[in-house]
Amino acid sequence: MLNTSTTIIFGADGYIGWPLALHLGSRDNDKIVLVDNLSTRKLVKSVKSDTLIPIKSMKERLSEYSRQTGKKNLTYVEADAQDPKTVDRIIAKYKPDDIVHLAQQRSAPFSMVDQEHILYTELNNVATNLNILFSMIRHVPKAHLLKMGSMGEYGTPGVEITEGDLEITRKGKKAKVMFPRMGGSWYHLSKIFDTYNVAVANRFYNISATDIMQGVVYGNRVDEITNDALATRFDFDSIWGTVINKYVVQAVLLNKLLIYGKGKQTRGFLSLYDSINCLTLLRDNPADAGQYRVVNQIDEIYDTLQLAEKVRKIAVEYGIEADMENVENPRVESEQHDYQVEHKILPSLGFRKEKSMETVLREIFEDVLKNKKRAVAMKKLIYPTVYWRTATSMQVKDFAMPRDLMNTVKERKK
Ligand SMILES: NC(=O)c1ccc[n+]([C@@H]2O[C@H](COP(=O)([O-])OP(=O)(O)OC[C@H]3O[C@@H](n4cnc5c(N)ncnc54)[C@H](O)[C@@H]3O)[C@@H](O)[C@H]2O)c1
């Protein structure tokens, strides 16, 4: 088989990483190296939850991929990207043309459980990012880094969020500055550190990087997920689930949709199909040599009440009547605000939405209903348990961090 290029995906066992690997691998003969330490599987279990849609081991996934496609261009390396030497060995060995960095603790509520969870989130996320950056600089300085940030880094500033620098005027003088970032959780703060670290690495070492500010992703299918053996994870509990995915499960299990506060919090959303298509477009159209490019990766903007209305309408097609239930907002966030986002780069590269939100919602309902028995067993995980203002303990016993994932932290303290 003729390999045309090599891409390493850090975080390839995850919700987004696995479908991205499937998509890039199936498309052509590129070599795709999948790196993961399986931490999300463990961390979700640590709060007594699990992916609603069962997922196979990486070995089973890869053998099913090869059976379906007849290809062997995906290689899996189980490794912790917090370890600098490990990351260095992987990047030196595979000399990738592109590096996709998704390997982070990605739940805002999880980062807010207690001090130990904050520490884990920030150390893990900052370390994985710096390790990848420095190994890239040493071994493949001309490679393109696709770093996954979050729209949540910006917070809700009340003015249009620019895609890239903001032009300001101060005392009659003009300047361009990075758009302010006012993330609303310790997790988002870790993503902000990453943004600054990537931007500085670009400034000091001239690397080529795309820093993606991604909206909230929903759905669980892409075209390459053709059967259960290739499924990607689907989290629905109050700590790990994202809002649309959670709403569908709430409708099915509770006949209710839990609205945080007044439901006027507004965000950008995109389906898993679109997330994968955007990442693929950005990989195929890299930042210029030495360019630091910020891309806002969203498709539609809604408040959480509007989303609930959409879910409620589709629920009826499945014989489900769901009421709205207002619950105390566990987060510290602006309850009503303006939200506008500039997003021109992806459309200029040819991005078009693959399926309507309604179509994707139907797919989610079908898969959730198929796994309803499994969901019933985890029903009590739906209501919020982590409240921003009171998350100040050193260690919450019910949600103890897996000790093996805290080892690195312990070693640093010695
Ligand atoms: N899902 C969303 O709605 C969303 C929205 C915006 C941004 N993001 C970002 O996209 C990226 C992927 O998110 P996801 O939803 O697929 O999350 P995920 O938790 O399903 O995937 C992340 C993967 O990274 C792995 N990982 C974490 N730390 C690691 C380490 N030290 N070494 C090796 N592997 C490690 C995990 O095991 C997991 O498989 C994250 O950076 C997240 O912050 C996600």
Side-chain angles (χ1 to χ4, degrees), residues 206-376:
N206 229 22
I207 60 162
S208 150
T210 300
D211 206 351
I212 305 163
M213 301 301 129
Q214 180 175 247
V216 184
V217 182
Y218 63 94
N220 61 302
R221 294 190 195 169
V222 293
D223 293 341
E224 292 77 15
I225 297 179
T226 46
N227 63 29
D228 292 348
L230 294 175
T232 194
R233 58 175 314 108
F234 180 91
D235 296 300
F236 71 97
D237 62 84
S238 66
I239 294 182
W240 287 93
T242 50
V243 57
I244 299 179
N245 294 351
K246 284 194 296 191
Y247 276 162
V248 174
V249 178
Q250 290 166 10
V252 169
L253 290 191
L254 304 178
N255 294 98
K256 279 180 191 166
L257 299 172
L258 304 184
I259 312 296
Y260 286 3
K262 298 189 189 86
K264 288 287 165 198
Q265 307 89 324
T266 306
R267 299 288 185 274
F269 297 88
L270 76 168
S271 71
L272 188 59
Y273 292 99
D274 292 340
S275 171
I276 301 307
N277 287 340
C278 288
L279 286 168
T280 305
L281 264 177
L282 294 170
R283 189 198 72 147
D284 293 349
N285 298 275
D288 294 339
Q291 185 193 7
Y292 171 67
R293 173 175 68 167
V294 176
V295 175
N296 292 337
Q297 181 169 298
I298 63 163
D299 182 34
E300 298 162 278
I301 293 180
Y302 293 107
D303 68 37
T304 54
L305 210 52
Q306 289 170 322
L307 289 176
E309 277 302 344
K310 279 180 176 287
V311 173
R312 184 149 81 166
K313 265 196 191 151
I314 303 296
V316 174
E317 294 177 19
Y318 295 88
I320 299 167
E321 297 286 340
D323 295 329
M324 311 279 188
E325 180 183 338
N326 288 83
V327 297
E328 179 190 343
N329 188 350
R331 299 172 180 239
V332 176
E333 61 186 356
S334 184
E335 289 262 334
Q336 188 144 11
H337 55 88
D338 198 40
Y339 196 72
Q340 290 168 45
V341 181
E342 181 180 45
H343 55 114
K344 292 183 178 157
I345 296 177
L346 280 160
S348 79
L349 295 175
F351 170 70
R352 299 284 171 274
K353 180 201 217 29
E354 186 160 328
K355 295 190 180 184
S356 69
M357 187 182 279
E358 285 71 16
T359 304
V360 177
L361 279 173
R362 287 184 192 102
E363 294 178 353
I364 307 176
F365 267 103
E366 278 157 28
D367 290 329
V368 168
L369 285 166
K370 208 165 103 184
N371 289 286
K372 188 171 172 186
K373 252 198 194 149
R374 203 173 146 81
V376 170

Side-chain angles (χ1 to χ4, degrees), residues 39-71:
S39 52
T40 296
R41 293 186 187 229
K42 288 184 199 158
L43 294 176
V44 174
K45 288 190 176 138
S46 78
V47 299
K48 325 271 188 295
S49 185
D50 205 351
T51 166
L52 177 62
I53 297 171
I55 52 173
K56 299 286 183 197
S57 69
M58 195 48 105
K59 196 173 164 206
E60 291 165 313
R61 284 172 154 182
L62 292 185
S63 88
E64 180 59 17
Y65 165 80
S66 293
R67 197 187 65 75
Q68 293 246 344
T69 60
K71 293 184 184 187

Side-chain angles (χ1 to χ4, degrees), residues 347-410:
S348 79
L349 295 175
F351 170 70
R352 299 284 171 274
K353 180 201 217 29
E354 186 160 328
K355 295 190 180 184
S356 69
M357 187 182 279
E358 285 71 16
T359 304
V360 177
L361 279 173
R362 287 184 192 102
E363 294 178 353
I364 307 176
F365 267 103
E366 278 157 28
D367 290 329
V368 168
L369 285 166
K370 208 165 103 184
N371 289 286
K372 188 171 172 186
K373 252 198 194 149
R374 203 173 146 81
V376 170
M378 297 186 273
K379 191 171 169 178
K380 65 175 193 300
L381 300 164
I382 285 180
Y383 279 89
T385 44
V386 178
Y387 290 83
W388 268 219
R389 287 205 197 278
T390 50
T392 54
S393 313
M394 186 165 314
Q395 201 182 64
V396 171
K397 290 256 168 340
D398 280 355
F399 296 152
M401 275 289 304
R403 296 331 289 172
D404 57 330
L405 290 175
M406 292 301 282
N407 281 347
T408 323
V409 175
K410 268 194 181 162

Side-chain angles (χ1 to χ4, degrees), residues 91 99 132-141 143 145 207-208:
I91 293 187
I99 298 173
I132 291 168
L133 277 172
F134 276 93
S135 294
M136 174 179 161
I137 292 159
R138 279 193 293 271
H139 301 293
V140 281
L145 174 68
I207 60 162
S208 150

Side-chain angles (χ1 to χ4, degrees), residues 5 11 23 48 128 299:
S5 82
H23 184 67
K48 325 271 188 295
T128 57
D299 182 34

